[in-house]
Amino acid sequence: MNKRSFIKFTAVFIFLSALMFNFSAGAAIAKESAAASSEVGILPEVKNYETSEVCSLNLGHGSEEVSLGYENGPRFSSNGPSSFAFDKNEKLYIVDAMNFKVLVIDNGKVIKTIKYPEGETKEEKFFISDIAVSNDGKKIYLLNQTLRTIFVLNENGEVKSEIKISEQAVLPSKIYISESGNIVIRDEGGIKTLVYTADGKVLGRLEGGEISNITNSDNFLYVLGEMDKDGRDILLMDPVSNRKPKVFAKLTKVIKNTEPYAYQILGTDAEQNLYASIIEKIEEDVIQTMLYKFSKDGKVISRTKIMPFRQIFDTVPTRYIVISPPGNVYAFTANDKLDKLVICKITSK
């Protein structure tokens, strides 16, 4: 299970550890946060969801199948597909981590299979924990967690460069390509977020358990901030130039009298709308995900209630939900028989 699920830092701790705030600066941010929290305003109604299947893949080792591992194979944090991403044309890229390949899917059909390096030796295999794709699909970024390296491939699957991040990262788990072209890595081992230039120069870092690796167009990171009885603030923090942090928006609970299981920052679309969620407890062992869409200035555009999806037993992907550049929402799931991996599109109704 992702270590992030067990780490609960307060916003004050994030500020102190990441930016070395003095007391007065921390107090000013807390005051601003409290003021913003009291001015949430009228939220849009909660809509239900519906899903449509984008693609369905058999389990196995064939060129158009995905694997859940095998008896004598390597053991990684997920013994199944680890991540997926989209380009601006809604081409889908799935990391089949156990078969060491990326499947490229268009209109539900596999149009390309990209093999990537398995490892330096037969004994040491690469685990690709996450994938990012440039909007035009011409660059594919694979985060190699095992040796802490980023493979940069072209659209034909050729490895054009390798960016070593082993000196800064302990357990790199997530990768994001910012609007400016910077590479942003979430390191769950070091509990920090790292920012690199496109060619691998370190630009900055922030430490803390609630700092995402998602940036806005001004290169601020989205951070989960202070909680109160109504929900949790989303903050903006600068890992490079240490500009003053500010409150962006608030994730407001729908079920008032329960403590949410988790707050999550999911991603942005090409218009810089932010998608985030609250996982809420309906009753014992029953949960729902409240998906929020925020405009780039922090206004709530929509709220959608999503119930849990079926998961194939050994599949523990880095990302269950992904936002495409056009702003569509997709999720990993499985069919009724649990013998196929399914990517579905989520829409409000």
Side-chain angles (χ1 to χ4, degrees), residues 248-274:
F248 170 73
K250 185 180 182 68
L251 283 165
T252 304
K253 295 190 299 184
V254 174
I255 303 174
K256 299 296 184 182
N257 298 320
T258 63
E259 182 64 30
Y261 280 95
Y263 295 88
Q264 299 174 326
I265 295 170
L266 299 173
T268 57
D269 60 26
E271 300 298 321
Q272 288 297 301
N273 299 308
L274 176 70

Side-chain angles (χ1 to χ4, degrees), residues 4-69:
R4 177 170 57 87
S5 301
F6 298 100
I7 300 167
K8 297 295 179 183
F9 289 128
T10 65
V12 174
F13 181 84
I14 294 173
F15 295 148
L16 291 173
S17 61
L19 296 180
M20 302 298 288
F21 271 166
N22 60 33
F23 176 79
S24 60
I29 291 296
K31 184 177 179 180
E32 179 186 353
S33 176
S37 298
S38 64
E39 297 176 0
V40 172
I42 299 174
L43 294 170
E45 66 174 308
V46 174
K47 294 185 177 181
N48 288 318
Y49 74 106
E50 58 187 11
T51 63
S52 56
E53 183 179 300
V54 174
C55 72
S56 176
L57 299 170
N58 291 322
L59 306 181
H61 303 287
S63 62
E64 297 187 7
E65 297 176 327
V66 293
S67 175
L68 296 186

Side-chain angles (χ1 to χ4, degrees), residues 221-274:
L221 287 171
Y222 291 103
V223 178
L224 291 173
E226 195 161 326
M227 288 183 285
D228 61 22
K229 62 182 180 61
D230 296 318
R232 191 166 195 175
D233 291 329
I234 298 175
L235 311 177
L236 292 171
M237 298 177 70
D238 181 6
V240 178
S241 303
N242 290 337
R243 288 169 292 178
K244 180 183 176 182
K246 48 192 173 183
V247 177
F248 170 73
K250 185 180 182 68
L251 283 165
T252 304
K253 295 190 299 184
V254 174
I255 303 174
K256 299 296 184 182
N257 298 320
T258 63
E259 182 64 30
Y261 280 95
Y263 295 88
Q264 299 174 326
I265 295 170
L266 299 173
T268 57
D269 60 26
E271 300 298 321
Q272 288 297 301
N273 299 308
L274 176 70

